[in-house]
Amino acid sequence: MPEPLSTESTAFRSALDVIRAVEPRVADAIGQEIADQRDMLKLIASENYASPATLLAMGNWFSDKYAEGTVGRRFYAGCRNVDTVEALAAEHARELFGAEHAYAQPHSGIDANLVAFWAVLAARVEAPALAKAGVRNVNDLSDADWAELRQAFGNQRMLGMSLDAGGHLTHGFRPNISGKMFDQRSYGTDPATGLIDYEALRTSAREFKPLIIVAGYSAYPRLVNFRIMREIADEVGATLMVDMAHFAGLVAGKVLTGDFDPVPHAQIVTTTTHKSLRGPRGGMVLCDESLAEQVDRGCPMVLGGPLPHVMAAKAVALAEARRPEFRDYAQAVVDNARALAEGLMRRGATLVTGGTDNHLNLIDVASSYGLTGRQAESALLDSGIVTNRNAIPADPNGAWYTSGIRIGTPALTTRGLGATEMDEIAGLIDRVLTAAEPGTTAKGAPSKAQHVLDPKISDEISHRATDLLAPFPLYPEIDLG
Ligand code: PLP
């Protein structure tokens, strides 16, 4: 007798059948995506695998509903079910992170940061201007007062972590809207240790007097002391904003506590929900009660209408993150990152900061293997190992080619891989990068983009990567037939 299908298999098979009847190519692409993901050794630090319940919560008629406004105070009729899921997402987030207020509407991390910037500007620039003019609403300002306020919005300062130290483009850099809005100065890391230099940061903050200090990163492999950051912010009258997009799962899983948990220290915290937190693609803002009203104006201030189907999935994923198993998961993510670091360093690789305390490592592939990040990234991809290149502090190869490879463990830890597998993966990475060599352009000139790698080696490593993953099936409960 054939094994009965799991509930998840039935659900996804039926969904694909319904889609296939309308546009078979979309159903095929969805089926191919799970097949590809099953075969990948995914070390992209910002990716993960959401649960079937989270995925299914997104594919439904909530998508059809407009729900501008906030829970119980909508600009559209018929929002009672949206209210239920948005309130649940916010409640889970408040309980999980110990936050006074949670806003579950941001569509992504960048959107969450924009909501946060404008909440701070509204509280600290707009509100005093309205009070001075004796009005309650910007529409009641005179043209002259409005012109003055608009100037004031454009004259604010932000202090954020430099990109090559691991900061994010949205922390005040010119190509992003944050850099066009704010006069920005960056803080970096100590060249000797690779760690954040809090005293240099303090000196810079005293001189620059920013409105906002942004902490948080995309590629910093160590802990950030948010107690010290808040102390510096208070000293210079800045609001401390923490972007925990990358490490929210480690905060949720209580691996980052005390000085390293941003929520008790920052006035406002932003996050994505899809990285280490393992939820749907999306964003969220947590804040003190004092900023709640301004944060809740995110839509229509800078966000389009809320995505109720994604908020439903956020509520499901946050409920999962409140379970005790999630703490084990978060600890395993960090243990795995450490095992990977040790395996790489034992084989001679140089890691930025000499190791990791969180979910990611940054390999200096230029000094370890004589490759650019771009060459290393493509050599690894040829060998079935998916990573991404990343700048390192004072990167000689710039932000495009880079000298670093960022590797993270949230996704493979979800699949169940542990320290033994991490050590073997470190060996595979080291073999590929040792064998790969810088290539040349079509005209024979040295190239920072091209690499040369013996296909016998890339094939052998690819096969080993597939074998290594075999005992850890991705979505074992889902059989698409
Ligand atoms: N903030 C940080 C620190 C990030 O690393 C990222 C994405 O990589 C973002 C924000 C942006 O997130 P999203 O892609 O969801 O807009």
Side-chain angles (χ1 to χ4, degrees), residues 74-119:
R74 304 283 183 190
F75 292 91
Y76 288 81
C79 292
R80 66 179 179 161
N81 302 309
V82 179
D83 279 357
T84 301
V85 294
E86 182 168 353
L88 267 173
E91 179 190 315
H92 283 312
R94 282 194 310 271
E95 297 284 326
L96 180 63
F97 293 108
E100 288 179 11
H101 184 73
Y103 182 59
Q105 292 189 14
H107 310 327
S108 74
I110 290 184
D111 293 9
N113 286 348
L114 261 182
V115 171
F117 298 150
W118 279 100

Side-chain angles (χ1 to χ4, degrees), residues 108-400:
S108 74
I110 290 184
D111 293 9
N113 286 348
L114 261 182
V115 171
F117 298 150
W118 279 100
V120 177
L121 288 168
R124 296 199 50 199
V125 178
E126 184 175 297
L130 295 182
K132 187 171 148 215
V135 299
R136 288 169 58 88
N137 192 295
V138 282
N139 292 328
D140 300 328
L141 287 173
S142 68
D143 286 352
D145 286 346
W146 177 233
E148 196 179 317
L149 177 56
R150 289 183 62 236
Q151 289 264 338
F153 283 141
N155 277 331
Q156 302 304 318
R157 294 175 176 172
M158 169 180 287
L159 187 62
M161 192 168 190
S162 71
L163 280 180
D164 71 353
H168 192 258
L169 207 62
T170 54
H171 301 175
F173 295 93
R174 291 181 188 178
N176 178 259
I177 183 79
S178 57
K180 302 179 204 301
M181 280 162 54
F182 289 96
D183 177 11
Q184 197 258 24
R185 188 184 276 191
S186 311
Y187 59 90
T189 46
D190 179 337
T193 59
L195 304 179
I196 293 175
D197 183 343
Y198 294 100
E199 282 321 301
L201 199 167
R202 191 187 299 274
T203 306
S204 181
R206 280 181 186 151
E207 281 167 16
F208 191 55
K209 299 212 177 347
L211 180 79
I212 304 177
I213 296 182
V214 185
Y217 54 79
S218 300
Y220 180 67
R222 296 293 180 177
L223 306 183
V224 179
N225 189 317
F226 300 112
R227 181 185 52 74
I228 301 179
M229 298 289 282
R230 175 62 185 264
E231 200 182 280
I232 296 171
D234 284 350
E235 194 188 317
V236 301
T239 299
L240 177 62
M241 167 180 158
V242 177
D243 177 351
M244 64 169 183
H246 257 263
F247 52 90
L250 307 187
V251 180
K254 310 299 173 211
V255 174
L256 300 182
T257 56
D259 292 355
F260 309 110
D261 175 354
V263 181
H265 300 292
Q267 287 100 331
I268 191 157
V269 176
T270 58
T271 187
T272 54
T273 45
H274 49 272
K275 303 188 206 267
S276 55
L277 196 52
R278 211 162 69 181
R281 300 205 77 72
M284 217 160 52
V285 181
L286 310 173
C287 64
D288 287 352
E289 210 46 70
S290 61
L291 285 170
E293 201 185 315
Q294 285 86 356
V295 163
D296 280 354
R297 290 198 200 125
C299 165
M301 174 77 154
V302 290
L303 299 176
L307 308 176
H309 53 308
V310 182
M311 292 197 287
K314 286 174 185 168
V316 172
L318 288 162
E320 289 170 346
R322 290 185 68 187
R323 293 180 178 164
E325 306 88 274
F326 196 84
R327 294 189 181 203
D328 301 336
Y329 164 70
Q331 187 58 54
V333 166
V334 176
D335 294 344
N336 278 343
R338 286 217 176 96
L340 203 45
E342 279 156 23
L344 284 162
M345 290 189 296
R346 209 177 61 248
R347 291 171 175 89
T350 303
L351 301 187
V352 173
T353 79
T356 182
D357 293 322
N358 58 23
H359 63 296
L360 67 88
N361 282 292
L362 199 55
I363 314 174
D364 177 347
V365 289
S367 62
S368 311
Y369 302 102
L371 299 168
T372 64
R374 176 112 189 252
Q375 290 161 337
E377 177 190 85
S378 17
L380 288 167
L381 189 63
D382 287 353
S383 315
I385 303 175
V386 190
T387 63
N388 65 282
R389 66 185 185 278
N390 209 102
I392 63 171
D395 199 310
N397 286 316
W400 177 248

Side-chain angles (χ1 to χ4, degrees), residues 29-40 415 474 480:
I30 295 171
Q32 189 57 49
E33 184 59 25
I34 189 174
D36 289 353
Q37 295 218 19
R38 279 176 163 152
D39 280 347
M40 282 176 194
R415 284 185 81 152
L474 176 62
L480 293 183

Side-chain angles (χ1 to χ4, degrees), residues 11-68:
F12 282 98
R13 280 189 187 195
S14 304
L16 286 178
D17 286 345
V18 173
I19 296 165
R20 188 167 286 110
V22 180
E23 176 47 287
R25 288 169 297 183
V26 170
D28 290 347
I30 295 171
Q32 189 57 49
E33 184 59 25
I34 189 174
D36 289 353
Q37 295 218 19
R38 279 176 163 152
D39 280 347
M40 282 176 194
L41 201 56
K42 176 150 98 171
L43 285 166
I44 293 187
S46 49
E47 293 189 7
N48 211 327
Y49 304 106
S51 72
T54 297
L55 296 174
L56 286 167
M58 274 185 283
N60 57 66
W61 28 95
F62 265 139
S63 166
D64 298 332
K65 194 73 197 97
Y66 246 112
E68 212 173 286

